[in-house]
């Protein structure tokens, strides 16, 4: 018996699922095909993790080892829903795991959110990380910017906006991103959170990094650091919060210098409205909140306003529905029980599994997708009796299907070509890599000699 498995989504969750399955002790052989709609694998590790985080980007090397291990075939530039459908997968595989992640911005429902100059963090991240499906130009013409959110993505966005472009030249940022950031007139980036400094979702490492940028001053306000009982309890009971408190204490001791740029952290601030002038963002109006004594906050009725010319909401990511697959519109995930996809009536859908952010929502680090994948794969293995019985399980038949449809798919060899090309571009400029961002160019490099 051989399990022919399709995995849709070549981010860390999909690649870890392949790795765990192939290493597992099991009474059958496996043959895995990994599909991604992009010509390059690695999902948000390539297109989400900030370029100035080379250590995290380095996880790509471990993921690449899995792809190079010889048990996984890669089909890049294949979009599930258009190039290949659920009906096709049932014809060619015994089962499918969806690991399509989350790339859209969660909504923030306040007046003015649709004004010119109001953006989603996910779109900006896609731009600076060179995602092939977003425009190459990003309007960086604001001097004062607000970022709403108190998670790591908000810090990434604030850092990328405030950092001097020349300090990113050691990274893999594409040329158009360097040029855009270099021309930015930004002077002040204001980061807002509804709750207090001891309730943030930042990781200590990311927070500390924010205070280490060259020629950027950190501004925090004494009024935010009058801790309530719940905050004091969090400092003693939670190691992360303890370290975060230490970082803020160090910042409070520092003299504010005369840097050309500033990052301001504002806590206890609930968004009320993005104010517009002539259709464009001109100010941010927010309500001061206060601790409610139980770790939450309540409004005080005090409304404040600061002038800004751009607003970024970093209030979370959201998954996208997939054709023919159940979708939980409220949480932006595929409904599932430990990775077994559930149909509308709550019963388990045979042969269909989910893992990673599309399974559990857009929270958690890359490492968490590994434990996710373990759980999903263990169900897949146990469910052998309910796998599909495909009419065309032969490995060549899916290749024929895509070829007949005229899908310009890329493979692992093609990814190696693109990878080598990007490294060569980088070497010529004294950098490790420079990303190719144009989809057609990525495909043509990957398929050269095809
Ligand atoms: C801005 C940002 C910064 C982050 N920084 C860090 C960090 O520093 N450290 C850390 O540990 N974690 C970080 N994370 C979290 C980490 O990126 C996620 O935990 C992880 O990438 C989730 O993996 P995934 O495989 O579920 O989804 P993804 O990485 O999103 O992969 C999903 C893949 O599915 C593909 N896909 C989607 N739809 C289709 C379709 N219809 N057909 C075919 N393919 C499809 C996508 O192209 C993508 O390649 C960050 C996340 C974000 C958003």
């Amino acid at each position: 018996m051989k399990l022919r498995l399709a995995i849709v989504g070549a981010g860390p969750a999909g690649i870890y699922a392949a790795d765990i399955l192939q290493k597992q002790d099991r009474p059958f052989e496996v043959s895995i095909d990994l599909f991604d709609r992009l010509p390059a694998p690695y999902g948000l590790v390539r297109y989400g993790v900030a370029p100035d985080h080379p250590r995290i980007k380095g996880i790509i090397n471990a993921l690449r080892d899995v792809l190079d291990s010889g048990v996984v075939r890669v089909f890049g530039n294949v979009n599930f829903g258009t190039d290949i459908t659920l009906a096709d997968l049932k014809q060619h595989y015994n089962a499918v795991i969806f690991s399509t992640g989350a790339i859209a911005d969660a909504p923030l429902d306040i007046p003015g959110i649709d004004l010119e100059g109001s953006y989603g963090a996910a779109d900006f991240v896609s731009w600076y990380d060179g995602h092939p499906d977003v425009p190459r130009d990003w309007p960086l013409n604001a001097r004062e910017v607000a970022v709403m959110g108190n998670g790591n993505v908000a810090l990434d966005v604030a850092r990328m906006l405030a950092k001097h472009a020349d300090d990113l030249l050691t990274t893999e940022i594409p040329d158009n991103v360097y040029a855009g950031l270099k021309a930015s007139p930004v002077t002040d980036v204001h980061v807002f959170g509804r709750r207090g400094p001891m309730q943030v979702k930042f990781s200590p490492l990311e927070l500390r990094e924010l205070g280490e940028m060259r020629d950027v001053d950190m501004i925090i306000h004494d009024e935010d650091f009058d801790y309530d009982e719940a905050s004091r309890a969090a400092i003693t009971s939670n190691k992360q919060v303890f370290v975060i408190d230490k970082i803020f204490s160090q910042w409070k001791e520092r003299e504010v210098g005369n840097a050309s740029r500033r990052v301001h952290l504002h806590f206890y601030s609930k968004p009320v409205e993005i104010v517009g002038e002539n259709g464009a963002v001109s100010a941010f109006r927010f309500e001061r909140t206060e601790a409610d004594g139980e770790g939450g906050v309540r409004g005080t009725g005090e409304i404040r306003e600061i002038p800004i010319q751009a607003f970024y909401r970093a209030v979370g990511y959201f998954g996208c529905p997939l054709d023919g697959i159940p979708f939980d519109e409220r949480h932006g995930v595929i409904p599932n029980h430990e990775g077994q996809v559930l149909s509308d009536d709550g019963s388990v859908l045979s042969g269909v599994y989910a893992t990673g952010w599309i399974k559990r929502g857009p929270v958690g680090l890359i490492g968490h997708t590994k434990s996710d994948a373990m759980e999903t794969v263990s169900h897949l293995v146990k469910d052998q009796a309910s796998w599909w019985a495909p009419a065309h399980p032969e490995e060549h038949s899916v290749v024929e299907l895509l070829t007949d449809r005229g899908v310009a798919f890329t493979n692992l060899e093609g990814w190696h070509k693109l990878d080598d090309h990007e490294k060569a571009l980088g070497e010529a400029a004294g950098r490790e890599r420079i990303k190719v961002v144009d989809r057609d160019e990525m495909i043509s490099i990957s398929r050269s000699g095809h």
Side-chain angles (χ1 to χ4, degrees), residues 2-36:
K2 187 177 203 173
L3 166 66
R4 287 274 296 130
L5 175 69
I7 299 180
V8 179
I15 297 177
Y16 284 137
D19 189 37
I20 288 161
L21 181 63
Q22 56 135 328
K23 286 184 178 151
Q24 204 171 64
D25 206 12
R26 46 183 157 65
F28 49 80
E29 286 188 31
V30 288
S31 136
I32 304 170
D33 289 347
L34 181 59
F35 296 91
D36 203 287

Side-chain angles (χ1 to χ4, degrees), residues 39-40 46-47 130-134 136 174 176 418 422 435-446:
R46 184 172 157 101
Y47 292 118
H131 194 292
D133 295 344
V134 300
R136 297 279 68 87
N176 66 303
L418 181 59
E422 290 185 339
K435 266 184 189 166
V436 176
V437 286
D438 181 75
R439 185 184 268 263
D440 290 340
E441 193 185 343
M442 291 171 83
I443 295 167
S444 101
I445 295 165
S446 291

